[in-house]
Amino acid sequence: MSDTRIVDFWVAGTEEPEFQPTDEGMQEIGPEDSGRRLDEQYGRVVDDDYVFDDEVPDEERMILNMGPQHPSTHGVLRLQVELEGEIIRRSKPIIGYLHTGMEKTGEQLSFMQGPTNVTRMDYLSPLHNELAYSLAVERLLDIEVPPRAQAIRVLMTELNRISSHLVALATNGMDIGAISMMIYGFRDREMILEFFEKTTGLRMNHNYIRPGGVAVDLHPGWKDDIDRILKEIPKKVEDYHNLLTNNPIWQARTVGVGVITAEEAVGYSITGPPLRAAGVEWDIRKVFPYSGIEQYEFDVVTGDNGDVFDRYRVRIDEIVESLKIVEQVTDSMPKGDYRVDDNKVTPPPRQRIDESMEALIHHFKIYTEGFRVPAGETYVAVESPRGELGCYIVSDGGARPYRMHVRAPSFYNLQGLPIAMADSIVADTVATIASMDPVMGDVDR
Amino acid sequence: MIPAFEALAERFPEVVWEDSHGQQVALVPNEQWYEFAEAVKEAGFNLFSDVTAVDWYRSRRDRFDVVVNLTSMSIPARLRMITTADREDPKVASLVPLWPGANFPEREVYDMFGITFEGHPDLTRILMPDDWEGHPLRKDFGVGSVPVQFKASPKAV
């Protein structure tokens, strides 16, 4: 083999002049830079695309709209991002596509009908919405619900926390590409939804927790169902650890991504798992306990770095802590009534309606007119799976709230997105959005 | 009243302190809103929990109440401070310079009630469309007055 063979490419001016440069597939290479271009074409030199100057002229920046119809925005969130190549410099969440005026609706509904409205706000944790609303109304009425109702409320909301976190883990996995996690999360959530369906009659939007107690008692045989949940879920959590936590691909996509520090989280009113992942030990259940949750043993889970991985870890560990509470509630479930013994708020039992005219009138009055609530205002917050869920109610003494406002945790947590996403690459946006776990029904209300 | 509030009550004699179902409420004059909020923040109330408004329409002379819920993570305690905004040109000082987390919710209150937050960096509509007329959560804004926008639907009367 001789060493005369140098170049197999056509270089302008070296071939016959009758060659037509319009022929497809042919490229013109100037003679002066042929050496460099040839090296590139052979692959001996690689031109790196990802080098950026600090000062980039405006025309090199691009505004990109992500959403509102985008599968990884968890609903109808629209993000306006300013890109510099692959790097996101600034971003702005644009919301309101799911706004249905539920606070206005809440002013038209009586206190009895209120939970049907608020339960549709954060549709992944409906029972927490109902609980916040009911606690606010009860504080205005100055009534104390019986211990069994309180225990049922804690049991149901903690189960709801598990199911909500399972969806968060599932969608987080799906957005990053761990499709198995999506299937697992939704599969295991079914167990809890079945329990809800047996008790409340519905899988979501239960209208179960109402001012004065809960709608119905737990179904017969509920302890067996809880035992099954308590036995199965820890095994599944072990599976998640094997599948994701120690997975190098998962860690490469999540560790150090979308960092929110403790100062930023507190400054931007971010609560819930994103705040705890930043290392702040803050949980409404511990600080301002409600519904008798202070009598159960559990730990507040915190992370260290406030990145996507820590938020994922906090959610997984909170599932375990919630299971602890569920177990304790099941063991110590008090006997007694599940509604307050106050005829003003509680409708008469079904059997009494057949026997007594007064009971029928009473039933009719409560369901048509509702009950009057003394004038006043109050703010009650519970720890929802997404953070501090507050309900501010102003009553003017009538049967409907004069003003009903819900402090939506997703709405406030969304303010952290521009901070978490600044100077990160486009591929990390979906991981960051999923780790904040926004529910657009909660954001827009 | 916890010690942090007693010091505040001494510094701001115009502020009225109330107890509402076991929660501390401070009724603040509109002019002192920002100054008082600054002092409250220095007293350790670092978490901005919530801001909303109440429209008293005809039952009060100052039509709007602006309600802010604050939390101190160190004590821990809660404080609700309420100020009023007048009927013709409702205005309140923005608290975004103190708590950046007040950005979105103040925009929501502006959107829903038309209360201007002076000093807010980006006071635009957040939930309603930009060309929307009126402020939905005011009491004089009717319910269900928007015609349905189907192509073949009869004209709204």
Side-chain angles (χ1 to χ4, degrees):
Chain A
M1 192 83 179
S2 71
D3 56 351
T4 52
R5 188 167 171 271
I6 305 162
V7 169
D8 222 356
F9 287 101
W10 173 79
V11 178
T14 60
E15 292 268 355
E16 294 84 9
E18 62 264 25
F19 179 79
Q20 295 302 313
T22 52
D23 280 5
E24 276 185 77
M26 293 298 171
Q27 43 186 324
E28 193 174 345
I29 298 178
E32 67 280 355
D33 59 356
S34 57
R36 166 85 182 170
R37 294 289 280 269
L38 288 173
D39 283 347
E40 280 177 14
Q41 291 185 15
Y42 269 132
R44 288 190 289 256
V45 169
V46 178
D47 200 0
D48 195 350
D49 290 339
Y50 304 106
V51 178
F52 291 98
D53 300 329
D54 287 338
E55 289 299 317
V56 178
D58 280 348
E59 54 265 29
E60 304 241 332
R61 296 203 169 190
M62 185 171 74
I63 306 287
L64 182 79
N65 269 303
M66 186 176 167
Q69 313 291 345
H70 191 283
S72 73
T73 53
H74 295 213
V76 280
L77 170 67
R78 175 173 153 213
L79 278 174
Q80 212 171 41
V81 291
E82 190 177 293
L83 294 177
E84 210 177 277
E86 281 280 303
I87 313 275
I88 292 176
R89 291 301 184 201
R90 290 190 296 177
S91 58
K92 186 182 181 186
I94 297 170
I95 57 176
Y97 294 96
L98 209 58
H99 176 63
T100 44
M102 291 169 101
E103 289 184 6
K104 187 87 173 171
T105 313
E107 293 171 7
Q108 318 297 323
L109 300 175
S110 70
F111 286 103
M112 195 71 178
Q113 297 163 330
T116 56
N117 181 35
V118 293
T119 192
R120 282 159 172 80
M121 288 182 174
D122 183 351
Y123 41 79
L124 288 182
S125 61
L127 289 161
H128 288 90
N129 290 284
E130 297 167 19
L131 181 62
Y133 182 89
S134 302
L135 287 173
V137 177
E138 279 155 16
R139 189 177 283 174
L140 285 174
L141 282 166
D142 205 15
I143 54 175
E144 185 84 18
V145 298
R148 187 175 173 89
Q150 290 194 350
I152 293 177
R153 285 175 172 189
V154 171
L155 175 79
M156 297 299 267
T157 49
E158 291 308 317
L159 283 174
N160 203 169
R161 189 185 311 280
I162 298 171
S163 76
S164 172
H165 279 343
L166 284 175
V167 175
L169 297 176
T171 49
N172 199 348
M174 181 177 67
D175 286 346
I176 295 180
I179 303 294
S180 321
M181 188 60 223
M182 192 267 277
I183 305 286
Y184 287 0
F186 277 97
R187 178 194 68 190
D188 304 339
R189 172 180 176 246
E190 279 307 302
M191 231 180 329
I192 293 162
L193 290 192
E194 273 167 24
F195 181 82
F196 285 163
E197 196 177 357
K198 271 187 180 175
T199 304
T200 71
L202 291 166
R203 288 156 56 85
M204 295 167 90
N205 306 334
H206 310 281
N207 188 19
Y208 180 66
I209 297 172
R210 298 178 186 177
V214 294
V216 286
D217 208 347
L218 293 167
H219 61 271
W222 63 276
K223 273 196 177 169
D224 299 336
D225 294 340
I226 294 283
D227 282 345
R228 186 168 152 255
I229 290 171
L230 287 174
K231 210 170 81 200
E232 291 293 324
I233 299 274
K235 284 189 213 159
K236 313 287 189 192
V237 170
E238 201 55 41
D239 283 351
Y240 306 155
H241 282 307
N242 290 333
L243 182 71
L244 293 181
T245 311
N246 304 319
N247 184 337
I249 304 172
W250 179 262
Q251 290 185 356
R253 287 298 309 272
T254 55
V255 174
V257 171
V259 177
I260 297 178
T261 63
E263 290 78 27
E264 287 166 350
V266 173
Y268 280 88
S269 306
I270 295 165
T271 49
L275 176 66
R276 289 193 282 275
V280 183
E281 201 178 320
W282 180 257
D283 194 319
I284 306 279
R285 291 177 289 175
K286 286 279 188 201
V287 189
F288 306 113
Y290 52 87
S291 220
I293 203 162
E294 65 273 13
Q295 50 190 303
Y296 307 111
E297 286 282 322
F298 67 99
D299 297 327
V300 179
V301 186
T302 53
D304 306 313
N305 307 319
D307 54 7
V308 176
F309 185 76
D310 274 5
R311 280 170 232 148
Y312 155 80
R313 271 310 292 264
V314 164
R315 291 211 174 87
I316 281 216
D317 292 347
E318 276 187 9
I319 290 178
V320 179
E321 295 300 323
S322 288
L323 283 173
K324 277 191 207 165
I325 302 177
V326 169
E327 190 171 10
Q328 292 170 55
V329 179
T330 313
D331 291 343
S332 67
M333 178 64 76
K335 294 221 173 356
D337 206 355
Y338 59 93
R339 286 189 297 201
V340 68
D341 186 19
D342 183 343
N343 289 335
K344 214 179 110 196
V345 184
T346 313
R350 180 68 190 82
Q351 299 86 344
R352 291 276 301 140
I353 296 174
D354 297 338
E355 301 159 358
S356 145
M357 188 62 166
E358 286 75 21
L360 183 63
I361 294 171
H362 183 202
H363 183 273
F364 181 74
K365 293 277 270 185
I366 275 199
Y367 278 101
T368 51
E369 277 177 22
F371 47 83
R372 290 178 182 278
V373 170
E377 42 108 50
T378 192
Y379 175 85
V380 179
V382 302
E383 182 74 26
S384 103
R386 267 154 280 280
E388 177 180 338
L389 177 85
C391 188
Y392 179 72
I393 289 184
V394 180
S395 172
D396 60 350
R400 294 170 183 170
Y402 187 77
R403 170 93 175 96
M404 193 272 294
H405 169 74
V406 170
R407 187 252 193 230
S410 309
F411 180 68
Y412 284 78
N413 287 3
L414 216 54
Q415 298 186 92
L417 270 188
I419 310 157
M421 283 174 11
D423 297 337
S424 69
I425 61 174
V426 178
D428 287 341
T429 48
V430 285
T432 311
I433 297 171
S435 73
M436 298 300 283
D437 193 19
V439 171
M440 295 319 285
D442 197 25
V443 173
D444 292 343
R445 303 187 298 288
Chain B
M1 211 187 252
I2 61 173
F5 295 147
E6 276 166 12
L8 282 168
E10 226 166 80
R11 210 179 129 190
F12 294 91
E14 291 91 350
V15 175
V16 182
W17 294 82
E18 274 183 6
D19 182 86
S20 163
H21 298 274
Q23 291 172 331
Q24 194 66 56
V25 180
L27 306 177
V28 189
N30 194 313
E31 316 80 63
Q32 290 190 336
W33 182 243
Y34 188 85
E35 205 185 332
F36 183 75
E38 210 170 11
V40 169
K41 197 192 173 189
E42 275 162 24
F45 285 77
N46 52 349
L47 185 67
F48 185 91
S49 288
D50 187 31
V51 56
T52 184
V54 183
D55 179 10
W56 291 102
Y57 197 31
R58 283 183 183 145
S59 52
R60 287 192 191 173
R61 208 166 140 257
D62 288 322
R63 179 169 171 180
F64 297 101
D65 272 1
V66 176
V67 184
V68 166
N69 278 291
L70 297 169
T71 310
S72 164
M73 293 168 96
S74 47
I75 300 178
R78 280 197 195 277
L79 171 67
R80 181 155 63 250
M81 45 189 220
I82 302 179
T83 191
T84 54
D86 69 6
R87 186 171 295 270
E88 276 75 41
D89 186 18
K91 268 186 196 164
V92 182
S94 170
L95 302 183
V96 176
L98 298 173
W99 295 280
N103 190 330
F104 274 25
E106 281 188 354
R107 280 175 69 193
E108 188 193 335
V109 172
Y110 164 75
D111 192 357
M112 293 292 149
F113 289 92
I115 297 170
T116 311
F117 288 88
E118 289 176 315
H120 192 285
D122 177 28
L123 198 64
T124 49
R125 287 193 181 270
I126 185 167
L127 293 178
M128 304 303 288
D130 287 339
D131 53 353
W132 191 265
E133 281 175 21
H135 300 283
L137 278 180
R138 287 189 175 190
K139 288 286 175 187
D140 52 357
F141 191 96
V143 185
S145 61
V146 182
V148 182
Q149 294 176 352
F150 292 115
K151 212 174 173 183
S153 67
K155 287 252 156 40
V157 230

